[in-house]
Amino acid sequence: MTVDALRLSGIHKSFDGFKALTDAHFAARWGEVHALLGENGAGKSSLMNIAAGLYAPEQGELLVDDNPVRLGGPRDAAALHIGMVHQHFKLVRPFTVAENILLGHPLAQAEGSHRRRMAQLEEQIRARAAELGFAIDPRARIDRLSIAEQQRVEILKVLLAGARILILDEPTAVLTDQEAERLLATVHALSRQGAAVALVTHKMSDVKTWADRVTVMRGGRTVATVDPKATPIEELVRLTVGQSVAASQAATTPAAGGAPLLTVRGLRLHANGRQALDGVDLTLHAGQIYGLAGVGGNGQGELAEALMGMADGLEGTVLLTGEAAPVQGRLPHFAAIPADRYGLALAGGLSVVENFGIGQVQAGRYGPAWRLDRTRMAADTREAVQAFDVQGVRHLNQKAALLSGGNAQKLVLAREFGRTPHLVLAHSPSRGLDVRAGAEVHARLRAARDAGAAVLLISEDLDEVLALADRVGVMARGRIVAEFDQPADRQAVGQAMVNHD
């Protein structure tokens, strides 16, 4: 008889009266990769957070190695060799890579000097990072790493803590094709060595290639568990969203674009002890999506922050419709969708209505800041929540932090597209989103382009860039090293991403 490494049966969980999980089931066996699919807000993360000891179920049973267990917290889960890599990172930003990993590592309780323990840990980090194909400096501070690099640290932290039941929540969302394939190959190899892997993902190709089984959730319930290799992608999509969803396709005729709306010349930025931007030249045209591809950590995040007016010490020239624009402060008629939606786009401790309304406060739509028309703000928010299908909003005064990742992204889109933008910056806009939510984001970007906006799409998902962009650029070592007209050759773009001076 096959032994289940991890089994959750009949799980119920509510938050503030909202039923997030209703009779949910999931089981992962030793020696397998078991994928978990579902729309944003379907309950996947809630279910896995119960397995990781972060939440306690109201009903149901949790078994590890076929033995019933009760988890009092993440430490109990870690003692049972359960480790979870969260989609939204659980890292201490002012700490170094090694200091973060030490927090959950056995060396934290070992005897000997702190310096000696850190030296041992740094050696382990370098060795495991090399095995995974990650370029990680153990002494680098977390707040000086890109989103992609922080994701790699989370993966290293769990593996080095000794986890044999691995829960990975969107682990490849910020990795390039090559990095994702290498990571999943490593995860697959770990499963074949006896580990159990629960893989939460929205990438059907990952499920088809790497998963042994897949469980689908919808509306807090388990819908089905099937063999992904024997199940067509169309059927997996139908199970996930309850209906067919057209995949995002590249435009048959790329938009030529109109007049230049934003021109950047010689943009330079020295940050975190390195030359983050090294002479970026970029032109965005009205009515065109410019897709910027590249391996994470090559200046994409700094470029996005520079265009959002958040970079100090920025040098270079920025022209807006042919006239000089300030390199500090936010550009006018500018919609920004940053990669770190909770850190840069939303204030999790504020309400849904406050997060939405702030986008129009400066414009004066709700009157002076000291006497806001909160009735009008609430009406606008309610209308936007409905128009953008933001799920999980039980009342407008609930904290934005209670929204799932995909619905938080929809709230950002509702706010940023509440006005008609002339310029749009979208950095990894569909990261961690399900098929339907990702398609909706892509439709919004195309609609903005068709309305005449200039759109800059920055993404480490090459499929997303090639599907949306009218023109493709590649960023490496802080500058744009290659540009391609559509239809671009995928192999040529990939080579430009990894082969550069």
Side-chain angles (χ1 to χ4, degrees), residues 84-318:
M84 182 171 180
V85 177
H86 298 267
Q87 180 183 352
H88 303 294
F89 312 136
K90 309 295 183 181
L91 298 171
V92 184
R93 292 179 62 81
F95 283 14
T96 66
V97 170
E99 288 168 341
N100 269 276
I101 291 176
L102 182 64
L103 294 175
H105 195 279
L107 278 173
Q109 308 299 325
E111 297 181 356
S113 68
H114 178 72
R115 178 178 296 181
R116 183 173 181 178
R117 284 182 293 161
M118 289 302 292
Q120 289 178 319
L121 182 57
E122 288 174 3
E123 184 177 343
Q124 291 181 24
I125 292 170
R126 291 189 183 96
R128 199 55 181 270
E131 178 185 326
L132 294 171
F134 294 165
I136 294 292
D137 178 3
R139 299 184 180 183
R141 278 177 46 143
I142 295 298
D143 56 9
R144 295 178 180 176
L145 298 179
S146 70
I147 293 292
E149 289 168 325
Q150 291 179 37
Q151 175 79 324
R152 296 166 199 155
V153 175
E154 286 278 24
I155 293 168
L156 284 169
K157 182 175 70 174
V158 169
L159 292 177
L160 289 170
R164 294 188 62 243
I165 300 173
L166 306 179
I167 303 170
L168 305 177
D169 193 355
E170 299 291 344
T172 65
V174 293
L175 302 180
T176 65
D177 291 353
Q178 296 89 343
E179 291 169 328
E181 183 174 0
R182 188 160 53 236
L183 171 65
L184 291 176
T186 300
V187 168
H188 186 265
L190 288 171
S191 74
R192 294 307 182 255
Q193 294 166 14
V197 179
L199 177 66
V200 181
T201 181
H202 294 106
K203 295 185 177 181
M204 296 293 178
S205 59
D206 290 350
V207 173
K208 296 289 286 186
T209 303
W210 301 106
D212 299 294
R213 289 190 296 161
V214 55
T215 290
V216 182
M217 293 186 67
R218 191 167 68 241
R221 298 176 182 271
T222 299
V223 175
T225 297
V226 298
D227 178 354
K229 294 178 176 57
T231 307
I233 287 181
E234 294 77 13
E235 175 64 10
L236 289 175
V237 172
R238 189 194 65 76
L239 288 170
T240 301
V241 302
Q243 61 185 24
S244 297
V245 177
S248 181
Q249 298 293 330
T252 54
T253 304
L261 284 187
L262 182 70
T263 303
V264 172
R265 292 289 178 263
L267 210 60
R268 297 181 184 276
L269 178 67
H270 190 81
N272 302 325
R274 64 187 178 93
Q275 193 68 37
L277 299 178
D278 190 18
V280 174
D281 293 329
L282 175 66
T283 301
L284 302 181
H285 293 266
Q288 189 178 72
I289 298 176
Y290 186 102
L292 193 56
V295 178
N298 275 277
Q300 300 97 316
E302 288 82 0
L303 176 60
E305 291 184 10
L307 295 178
M308 288 190 292
M310 299 174 59
D312 293 327
L314 190 65
E315 301 176 359
T317 302
V318 178

Side-chain angles (χ1 to χ4, degrees), residues 346-389:
L346 294 173
L350 297 183
S351 68
V352 169
V353 68
E354 288 168 332
N355 271 280
F356 176 82
I358 194 67
Q360 294 280 14
V361 166
Q362 190 173 9
R365 177 173 175 79
Y366 306 121
W370 60 87
R371 194 174 65 240
L372 295 176
D373 185 346
R374 294 188 177 274
T375 300
R376 186 177 186 184
M377 187 187 298
D380 285 354
T381 305
R382 191 174 296 107
E383 182 180 343
V385 164
Q386 182 176 1
F388 282 76
D389 191 31

Side-chain angles (χ1 to χ4, degrees), residues 4-7 28-30 51 63-65 77 80-84 158 162-168 194-198:
D4 288 323
L6 173 69
R7 174 178 287 276
R29 301 167 183 158
W30 294 114
L63 296 92
V64 175
D65 213 13
L80 293 168
H81 304 289
I82 300 172
M84 182 171 180
V158 169
R164 294 188 62 243
I165 300 173
L166 306 179
I167 303 170
L168 305 177
V197 179

